[in-house]
Structure formats: C-alpha cells, structure tokens
Amino acid sequence: MYIKEIKTRNTKTKKEYVKHILVEAIRTEKGPSYRTIMQLGELKLPKELWPILVAELESRITGQMQLDLPGIKLPLKVKNAANRAMERFTIRSTRQLKKKESSDPNEVTVNLNDIATTKHRSYGGEFVCHSIWNELGMSKKLAGLGFNPRERSLAEALIIGRLMDSGSELSTWNWIKNISAIGEMTEEDLFNTGLNGVYAIGDKLYEVKEEIEKHLLAKESKLYSGRETLYLFDITNFYFEGQELGNTLAQYGKSKEKRDDCPLVSLGLVVDSAGFPITSEIFPGNVSEPRSLSEILSKMGYFEEYLPSMAPTIVMDRGIATRENIDLLKEKNIPYIVIGRGPRNVYYLEEFENYRTDPEFKSITKNNREIRLKEVKTNDITEILCISEGRKEKEDAMERRWKERANEDLSSLQRSIRKGNIRIRNKIERRLGKIEERYSSLNKYFAIDLIENQKNPRLIADVVFCEKSVFDIGTENLNPLNGTYVIETTLKERTPEEIWSLYMTMTRVEEAFRCLKSELGSRPIYHQGAKRTQSHLFISVLAYHILINIEHKLNMHRDTRRWSTIRKVLKTHQRSTVIITDKQQNIHHIRITSQPEPSQLQIYHILKIKPSRDLKKYIVARRL
C-alpha cells in the first residue's frame, strides 16, 4: 500500500485542489495499476511521515497491533490523520467495496493467528426498541408528516438513544456515532451524523407533537384494547443547570426534588391505567398545579375521535384536586376519583377514632398491610374513608420523633434560663422562634409560657411547657387522623374496594415521572432556549412510549423487570467486524451480529421478535 497524491484544477476559477488516497498495486490484463483503498482528503502531513501513516492504516484495517506501543511512539499528527481516514473508510467499505472471488467465495483459507475483531457496537436493546418503533408505525407516520428517510432515521435514533444512553442530545450524538449499532437498523446509515442535525430533528419532532400523540394513542389503543378507561393526571417539574436567562420556561418555583435553588420547567402528563401516555403539556416552572388541569382537559378535546364513547374517569392527586377543578369536572360531566385539598378527614374524626370497632369499616390487605375502608354516600358523590395501618404506623412514629426532639429543645432552653446563661427576653424569644420554625405544629401540641422576672420585665426568670391533650384518645397523645385520607368520586356503582384500587393506580403516573427523570435521564436540563427545552422533554415522552410498550408486553407474561434491568441483560448482544486474511493475502471484513445468550433469547421470545445475523462481507484491501 502507498499514498497517492491527485491534483485537479477548476476550469473556471483555475484554482487547484489536492487530495490524497491510500492505494494498493494490482496487476490487470492491461498491466500494473492500482486500486483505491480509502480516501484521505487533503493530507497536512509531511511526506516523510507518509510511510508511518500507511503502516498505521494497514495495521488498523487488518486488525493487527497498532504502532503506538511502549517504546514506539506514534506521532500525534499521524494518529489524527489515521483517525480521520478510518472514519471515511467505514462508509466507503460498507457502500462501495465488493467481494470478487472465485466460484465459491465463502470458502477461503485463513491463518487463525491473524483473526481479529473491531467496531463492537451495542445491538440487543436497540433491536428491541427498533422492533417496537416499527410496530407503532412511527416511520410511516413521520413520512406522512414530511420527514425524509434521513430525518426519519435520525428521529428514531434520537428517541431510542434516550432509552439506551439516557442523557443530553450531545450524549446521544456520541452514542449514535461511537457506541451503538442503531445506524445499521435505520432506513439510512447515520455514520456521518452531525450534532446540529440531532438538535434540528428534535425541534422538528416537537413541531408535529399533536399529530404524533394522536397517532400513538390510536395505535396503542388498537394494540392493547380492553384497558380500563381511567386517565391519571399529575404534574412534575425538572430543574435546570445554569441561570437560563434566555429561557422563558425556566422559572423558580417549588421543586419536587428539593431543588428550589434552580430554575424549573413543569411537565403535565396524562396516562391510562396501564401507564400508556395519552397526552402531555409543558408549562413554565412556576405554573400553578390546579390551573394546569383546564389546559389539559381542553387539549384532550383534540383526541375525541380516539377516546372511548364514554368519558374516561379522571384520577388526580390532592395537589391538583381543588374545589374549582372538581366543579370543572362536574360541569363537563367527567367522572373523577380524587383526594381533595384540605383536611377532609377532620370532618370524619369520630369515625376514624372508632374505626377498629365500627363494623362498617371493611378490611382489605395490600402488600401484607391492612387497609380499612368505609363508604359514605351523599346526593351526587361517594366518599371512601380510608385508613392504612402501615401509613398510620409510619406517621405515628414520625410524630413521636418530632415531639421528642421538640421536648429536648425546649428542655435545653429551660436549662439555659435556669442556669442564668440567657435571661434577656428578646434573646429568649428569638431562640424560641427558631424552635417554632423548626417544628411547625409546636404551638398546636405544646403549651409554652415565659415567666417574667418580677424586678425587671425585660428579663425572663423561667420557661414552662407541657404537651397539650389535643385528642382525648388512647394512652398516647397521638393524632387519630394519622394514616387516614378521604377519596371522593362520582362512581357510585363501584365498591369501596374498587374505588380504592382505582385511585392507587396513581402510582402509574408517578412511575412514568420516575422513568422520565431516572431511566430516561431527562434531568437536569441544560438548554438555554424554551423551544429546545420543549423538544428535550418531548423526546423523553416519546421514548417513554417505547419503554411502556416493552414493559407492558413483558408484564403480560409475568415478567416484571424494569427497562433498566432489561437493558443490562441485552447490553452484551452486539455487532462486530471480524477481520481475516486469506491465503491470497486478501483482507476480509465480516460484519456480523453475535449469537444471543439464553437470557436474551427469552426476552426476544416474549416480545415475539427474532434478531438476524445480518451478515455483510467485504474485501477491503490486499496485504503486500
């Protein structure tokens, strides 16, 4: 092999262009000639280094040891030139170089000592996601929305990348180019993908968000029919890293993750009882949770042709279930199941105090914990009084703990006053104020009196305190409403057990948020623009569609593993290039998928998909 320099001249501008190619000498019927191995572009490399570059490229092509070894330092310029050349070589070898051999090209004599492998890329998880992508008809839908083949391929890689290598678009770009075999599954290869293209395709997906969500709702309703017409709505927020000065969505508010120091953006999500997303909406970080419901309900009007004939039941948590929102649901004749804001359980204090002896409280068991339920019906709604033994034990323990700590802090203040360490009223009141700030219910449960110094009213002689008997029940002065809550619903035909079970499906939307934040890496957000932030979150929602499809299929076969576990199992199923040299010194590159292991075959069997070897063979060069 050697490097050949080729000069060309533009006939109009008379400008001269130089390019270099790596070639090998061959014999033809017309005499000696050469064959191009790879394009090198214009080399900015001194000619005396060309032989070193040729040797380095030949070692990489043949899979042999490279020159950069202890005692043999490869010049940095040569290494960079070799890296750029190998990137071009990947594309050229897969598109142009063809194998031309004897009558049986699959039979060659090889030296086993010369066999090597290269370009190992993850395949298993991508193949599973690619199969779900096709099952959902996403490529066909995007084609109908004006996406060309390359855009469809990049959109698929971007969304699956969020599942496989959760993180930013920059991380996904690196994953597409250097880690994954996704570019070999899509309609067009993605070896030349640029970072700007990754960002641009995310923006284009968000522009057709409504059409994509309609398509997915219709497709998933058809694939998994018979699901409960129960829609769960909740809102969460994601925090930003940085000041986000130019991002109108980035606003300070109350963070769900205790990151009140960071700007936030909010995501409202509606999922059904199986966890499949219905629709989503992105709000500024300081949005009022109750106000988000009206926007979501108005948006759901766009989906009427895909919704069941009867209005689905809306389930909401207490953060959104204000009296105004409940009245809004009644006005629209939408059935609901909620825990309303405010201390509704206080109105049923007597019932909760006597729940152990009240025969109307029915007992059910969930996760080895006892739940007591009592139905109370009025003219237009039904209320289910609920008390969880496990939750009560936890809240009782928390109440005991904070009362003990408050008692210790008050006793410490009392000792300091009696020793004379602190006597001035202002200082004592400030210290007492800090204790009240630490324990928000202090004055409700403790009676505290400051005893003035009779000679000087600016001084305090003592502080006395005792625990109030707020609730006259039991040997401990604990709140009998610990572990209690009241579910309100318009579903009068359902039993208390059914109502409670339906409300507990709220864990589905909480699970969706957990997946979006943890398994799909949607946080923190670094984007400086509102549009790019919206694209980032919508990509995660689309990735969650694929995730829930996979988990739902596995759950139907009693496989309850999360996607994070499935992804680890499939990680070792890869595609690799095997390099061999035959007896005639032809260098063969064989691109092949590894044999799946039993644990991987089990997943493929449940999902009813069959991986292919997808064997590709090329002769890329001849050894001298």
Side-chain angles (χ1 to χ4, degrees):
M1 296 181 190
Y2 61 95
I3 294 175
K4 184 176 178 63
E5 184 176 87
I6 300 176
K7 295 182 179 180
T8 58
R9 185 184 298 274
N10 189 307
T11 56
K12 292 183 179 180
T13 63
K14 306 301 182 182
K15 185 176 180 180
E16 188 176 72
Y17 297 92
V18 178
K19 72 173 183 177
H20 299 86
I21 56 176
L22 180 68
V23 300
E24 67 173 352
I26 59 173
R27 290 185 178 275
T28 67
E29 295 178 355
K30 297 181 180 181
S33 184
Y34 66 86
R35 184 177 68 158
T36 301
I37 302 300
M38 66 172 67
Q39 299 285 345
L40 303 178
E42 183 179 358
L43 280 180
K44 302 293 186 181
L45 197 67
K47 279 196 175 183
E48 59 267 20
L49 294 179
W50 286 10
I52 301 177
L53 177 59
V54 171
E56 172 67 7
L57 291 173
E58 182 176 3
S59 67
R60 294 195 187 190
I61 293 171
T62 59
Q64 304 303 306
M65 286 289 188
Q66 298 178 18
L67 297 180
D68 198 359
L69 296 171
I72 306 176
K73 186 64 177 177
L74 187 67
L76 181 60
K77 291 181 179 179
V78 174
K79 183 184 289 188
N80 291 339
N83 290 339
R84 289 192 296 269
M86 290 304 295
E87 288 181 4
R88 294 187 179 92
F89 174 70
T90 301
I91 301 166
R92 184 173 180 79
S93 65
T94 56
R95 286 182 176 177
Q96 298 181 19
L97 296 175
K98 304 296 181 181
K99 185 172 182 180
K100 297 180 181 179
E101 282 297 318
S102 61
S103 58
D104 193 352
N106 292 318
E107 293 184 7
V108 296
T109 302
V110 301
N111 186 342
L112 296 180
N113 293 324
D114 288 339
I115 296 178
T117 60
T118 187
K119 295 192 181 299
H120 307 284
R121 299 290 184 265
S122 60
Y123 173 85
E126 289 90 332
F127 175 68
V128 167
C129 296
H130 175 69
S131 301
I132 298 297
W133 174 272
N134 289 335
E135 188 174 14
L136 292 174
M138 284 297 292
S139 290
K140 184 177 180 181
K141 180 61 181 178
L142 293 181
L145 293 172
F147 286 64
N148 62 41
R150 182 162 185 81
E151 289 172 333
R152 296 196 295 270
S153 299
L154 194 52
E156 178 182 354
L158 179 59
I159 293 166
I160 293 177
R162 191 61 59 85
L163 281 155
M164 296 301 305
D165 188 67
S166 54
S168 64
E169 283 78 353
L170 176 61
S171 174
T172 302
W173 174 65
N174 178 66
W175 171 82
I176 293 171
K177 287 179 67 69
N178 302 314
I179 299 172
S180 172
I182 187 65
E184 300 178 58
M185 303 178 201
T186 51
E187 293 179 67
E188 291 194 0
D189 69 62
L190 300 172
F191 298 114
N192 268 344
T193 298
L195 180 57
N196 289 336
V198 173
Y199 285 123
I201 200 65
D203 294 341
K204 188 166 183 177
L205 283 169
Y206 187 75
E207 290 172 1
V208 291
K209 174 178 179 290
E210 181 183 313
E211 293 301 319
I212 292 175
E213 287 189 333
K214 284 182 181 180
H215 168 78
L216 288 171
L217 174 58
K219 196 71 176 180
E220 288 166 347
S221 298
K222 185 177 179 180
L223 287 172
Y224 313 104
S225 58
R227 304 198 305 274
E228 180 80 48
T229 56
L230 191 73
Y231 289 174
L232 320 169
F233 173 59
D234 204 355
I235 190 168
T236 191
N237 47 46
F238 301 79
Y239 66 89
F240 290 89
E241 289 288 0
Q243 295 183 339
E244 306 298 322
L245 298 178
N247 194 333
T248 55
L249 289 173
Q251 302 292 335
Y252 286 93
K254 186 174 182 181
S255 171
K256 305 276 187 177
E257 302 164 88
K258 312 299 183 186
R259 291 303 306 266
D260 297 337
D261 59 316
C262 300
L264 308 172
V265 60
S266 299
L267 173 69
L269 188 65
V270 179
V271 305
D272 67 11
S273 57
F276 289 88
I278 304 301
T279 186
S280 62
E281 190 63 37
I282 299 167
F283 303 98
N286 60 352
V287 68
S288 168
E289 288 191 10
R291 286 194 315 186
S292 61
L293 177 67
S294 59
E295 292 190 39
I296 286 289
L297 289 179
S298 63
K299 187 179 179 189
M300 286 177 65
Y302 297 127
F303 299 88
E304 287 181 355
E305 59 185 298
Y306 304 110
L307 297 177
S309 56
M310 294 180 59
T313 301
I314 298 292
V315 182
M316 299 181 299
D317 207 349
R318 67 178 75 231
I320 304 172
T322 61
R323 184 48 53 187
E324 291 79 8
N325 279 340
I326 292 174
D327 291 342
L328 176 63
L329 294 175
K330 289 180 179 178
E331 179 185 330
K332 294 180 176 291
N333 294 318
I334 299 175
Y336 64 83
I337 303 175
V338 301
I339 292 181
R341 276 191 170 185
R344 184 63 182 166
N345 50 3
V346 171
Y347 295 103
Y348 295 102
L349 175 61
E350 184 177 350
E351 284 85 347
F352 283 125
E353 285 179 340
N354 302 301
Y355 78 95
R356 295 185 186 277
T357 57
D358 188 343
E360 294 186 22
F361 270 95
K362 306 299 180 183
S363 176
I364 63 173
T365 303
K366 182 71 172 181
N367 296 329
N368 297 323
R369 293 288 188 177
E370 185 181 21
I371 313 292
R372 301 286 189 96
L373 307 173
K374 179 179 179 179
E375 183 180 48
V376 178
K377 289 190 175 182
T378 60
N379 292 332
D380 57 345
I381 63 169
T382 297
E383 292 185 316
I384 309 298
L385 313 187
C386 310
I387 181 164
S388 165
E389 292 288 358
R391 185 170 170 178
K392 181 175 178 59
E393 289 175 10
K394 180 180 178 180
E395 292 181 2
D396 283 350
M398 292 171 62
E399 186 176 335
R400 290 191 195 98
R401 188 160 55 248
W402 83 257
K403 284 182 178 179
E404 289 172 2
R405 292 175 179 172
N407 203 308
E408 290 174 4
D409 289 347
L410 290 171
S411 297
S412 176
L413 175 62
Q414 186 182 66
R415 288 193 297 269
S416 295
I417 295 173
R418 289 178 178 179
K419 287 180 180 179
N421 295 336
I422 180 172
R423 289 185 178 181
I424 299 175
R425 174 186 287 272
N426 289 343
K427 291 185 176 180
I428 292 173
E429 288 178 345
R430 281 199 299 270
R431 186 165 166 182
L432 186 59
K434 289 181 179 179
I435 297 174
E436 292 174 349
E437 185 179 343
R438 193 174 303 134
Y439 309 104
S440 57
S441 300
L442 185 73
N443 291 324
K444 180 179 179 181
Y445 289 93
F446 286 86
I448 305 170
D449 287 319
L450 296 177
I451 309 299
E452 293 182 356
N453 187 308
Q454 294 182 352
K455 296 180 180 179
N456 187 349
R458 294 179 56 205
L459 302 180
I460 297 297
D462 197 4
V463 60
V464 293
F465 62 93
C466 63
E467 190 173 345
K468 297 178 183 178
S469 297
V470 180
F471 301 100
D472 186 18
I473 181 172
T475 57
E476 290 185 287
N477 186 30
L478 294 175
N479 188 346
L481 296 177
N482 286 344
T484 68
Y485 50 97
V486 178
I487 300 175
E488 179 181 332
T489 181
T490 55
L491 302 180
K492 292 193 172 185
E493 70 282 1
R494 300 279 190 143
T495 66
E497 293 83 355
E498 290 174 330
I499 296 298
W500 181 86
S501 295
L502 290 174
Y503 182 78
M504 286 300 109
T505 57
M506 275 300 295
T507 56
R508 279 294 186 180
V509 71
E510 293 166 3
E511 174 69 8
F513 287 146
R514 186 199 66 78
C515 289
L516 286 167
K517 292 182 176 182
S518 299
E519 296 191 20
L520 301 181
S522 301
R523 60 171 183 189
I525 298 175
Y526 297 93
H527 297 299
Q528 298 297 314
K531 184 177 180 181
R532 193 55 51 79
T533 299
Q534 292 168 327
S535 303
H536 175 81
L537 291 177
F538 184 53
I539 290 164
S540 293
V541 172
L542 293 178
Y544 180 70
H545 272 278
I546 296 177
L547 182 151
I548 193 63
N549 272 268
I550 295 170
E551 289 190 348
H552 186 76
K553 285 175 177 286
L554 293 172
N555 285 333
M556 290 169 64
H557 290 79
R558 299 183 180 179
D559 187 335
T560 58
R561 287 177 291 181
R562 295 184 185 275
W563 167 245
S564 55
T565 303
I566 298 298
R567 182 172 56 192
K568 287 179 182 178
V569 173
L570 297 174
K571 191 174 182 179
T572 56
H573 194 195
Q574 300 184 335
R575 275 183 69 77
S576 302
T577 297
V578 180
I579 303 173
I580 62 174
T581 305
D582 66 19
K583 194 174 181 179
Q584 289 74 36
Q585 298 302 303
N586 293 317
I587 302 168
H588 301 253
H589 279 203
I590 305 169
R591 190 70 177 157
I592 190 171
T593 306
S594 65
Q595 186 73 19
E597 298 175 11
S599 58
Q600 297 162 347
L601 283 172
Q602 180 189 23
I603 295 171
Y604 298 147
H605 177 71
I606 292 175
L607 297 177
K608 297 181 179 179
I609 56 179
K610 186 177 180 180
S612 169
R613 294 177 70 201
D614 195 16
L615 186 68
K616 296 180 179 179
K617 301 170 288 183
Y618 311 96
I619 294 178
V620 298
R622 185 187 299 273
R623 250 188 189 170
L624 296 179

